[in-house]
Amino acid sequence: MIWIPGGEFVMGTDAADGFPADGEGPPRPVRVDGFYLSAHAVTNADFKAFVEATGYVTEAERFGWSYVFHLFVSEAVKQSVTDVPQSTPWWYVVNGARWDKPEGPGSGIEDRMDHPVVHVSWHDAAAYCSWAGARLPTEAEWEYAARGGLARKTYPWGDLLKEGGEHRCNIWQGKFPVKNNESDGYAGTAPVDAYAPNGHGLYNMAGNVWEWCADWFTPAYHSITAASNPRFDQPTDTRSMRGGSYLCRRSSCNRYRVAARSSNTPDSSSGNCGFRVARSR
């Protein structure tokens, strides 16, 4: 855990490459108290320890399926796929996909213990936090930490996506959703400490996997939450997520920017969503 000193920062953005419908702004000064945040996302090894200690069963296991990106589904598993969302046909509903079988039957995590755990719902993440004596970060804490001490920058390291020509995050390069050039080194998840950390020593605050936050989601977030330690606690249909994932791309869905926001229902899981944990003083 890394101590993030409290302070004030400008949260949100009105940049042209943002998504106003997501409620990314208007930008405003926000103050947060100091808190601890894990240097990286919870790993497969971390989650395995949790499951072994508690016998916890994830929602994907109880439902019997989860979403897997189509390029990662084996030919054998594809034969059993019968459900593909019409609006997002790159996601396959894979029976048996779960945190320790990320691509469904026949897959495993033995060579990915230092990768972020995926196929975890918001409820699963909250259960892990309860066991670990931690909690999920608020959106304000997450963004404040992601900025790494920089003011009003696009990414955790500055305004250029490839600073000095160097890849700084795990996102999609190529023709989505059929060809990923993998020029950043990874097609799917990367180790949680891949790439250089930001100014606070935090890894992968952009790309790799989406990270659940404590807040319920509303596009009106910046208009209705407090200026000091903001948190939206009024139940809606979805919970907030931050950071983007390995499927985000510059041409569209560039939500790996520090001010970008997204959401999903709290019982949803997929192969590109994980979490990191926080603690108060």
Side-chain angles (χ1 to χ4, degrees):
M1 303 290 283
I2 291 180
W3 175 249
I4 309 296
E8 186 175 282
F9 74 112
V10 175
M11 184 179 183
T13 184
D14 54 6
D17 59 352
F19 296 89
D22 291 346
E24 293 186 6
R28 58 181 176 135
V30 162
R31 180 168 184 82
V32 296
D33 294 337
F35 63 100
Y36 287 97
L37 189 66
S38 54
H40 53 67
V42 171
T43 66
N44 284 316
D46 295 331
F47 203 79
K48 182 173 185 288
F50 161 59
V51 170
E52 290 177 345
T54 64
Y56 184 81
V57 179
T58 62
E59 290 196 288
E61 292 171 83
R62 280 178 269 150
F63 294 153
W65 63 272
S66 189
Y67 288 111
V68 180
F69 187 63
H70 74 109
L71 293 182
F72 302 153
V73 180
S74 69
E75 290 303 319
V77 171
K78 280 181 183 177
Q79 304 307 310
S80 64
V81 173
T82 60
D83 190 2
V84 177
Q86 190 170 16
S87 60
T88 53
W90 47 86
W91 284 118
Y92 284 5
V93 173
V94 175
N95 293 329
R98 45 189 269 183
W99 72 272
D100 57 349
K101 297 179 180 179
E103 292 78 51
S107 64
I109 57 171
E110 291 75 17
D111 60 345
R112 288 177 275 182
M113 297 305 283
D114 61 345
H115 284 226
V117 65
V118 291
H119 297 295
V120 286
S121 69
W122 187 94
H123 294 132
D124 298 332
Y128 177 95
C129 287
S130 180
W131 170 75
R135 59 177 175 80
L136 291 172
T138 66
E139 280 201 69
E141 289 173 335
W142 193 98
E143 184 172 328
Y144 178 61
R147 291 184 177 278
L150 301 178
R152 308 194 74 162
K153 297 298 183 181
T154 306
Y155 308 110
W157 53 85
D159 285 327
L160 296 178
L161 179 59
K162 289 175 65 178
E163 194 170 77
E166 176 186 1
H167 285 286
R168 299 295 300 268
C169 62
N170 177 18
I171 57 175
W172 183 279
Q173 298 94 30
K175 184 179 179 181
F176 187 85
V178 296
K179 175 62 177 177
N180 187 345
N181 298 329
E182 301 176 40
S183 57
D184 58 20
Y186 302 95
T189 59
V192 293
D193 59 355
Y195 311 103
N198 74 358
H200 288 314
L202 303 170
Y203 292 88
N204 293 347
M205 297 299 286
N208 212 22
V209 294
W210 283 103
E211 298 182 2
W212 290 112
C213 290
D215 306 64
W216 290 95
F217 182 84
T218 174
Y221 175 91
H222 285 292
S223 301
I224 62 177
T225 55
S228 180
N229 296 310
R231 174 171 170 161
F232 187 69
D233 280 331
Q234 182 178 334
T236 61
D237 294 331
T238 58
R239 291 280 188 174
S240 297
M241 304 188 304
R242 289 294 196 118
S245 82
Y246 58 80
L247 295 180
C248 289
R249 55 263 178 213
R250 192 170 190 175
S251 59
S252 61
C253 192
N254 62 345
R255 290 182 174 89
Y256 44 85
R257 295 168 293 107
V258 289
R261 313 173 65 230
S262 193
S263 66
N264 209 338
T265 55
D267 60 354
S268 291
S269 64
S270 64
N272 70 334
C273 187
F275 66 105
R276 74 179 66 211
V277 302
R279 288 192 182 101
S280 301
R281 182 185 290 275

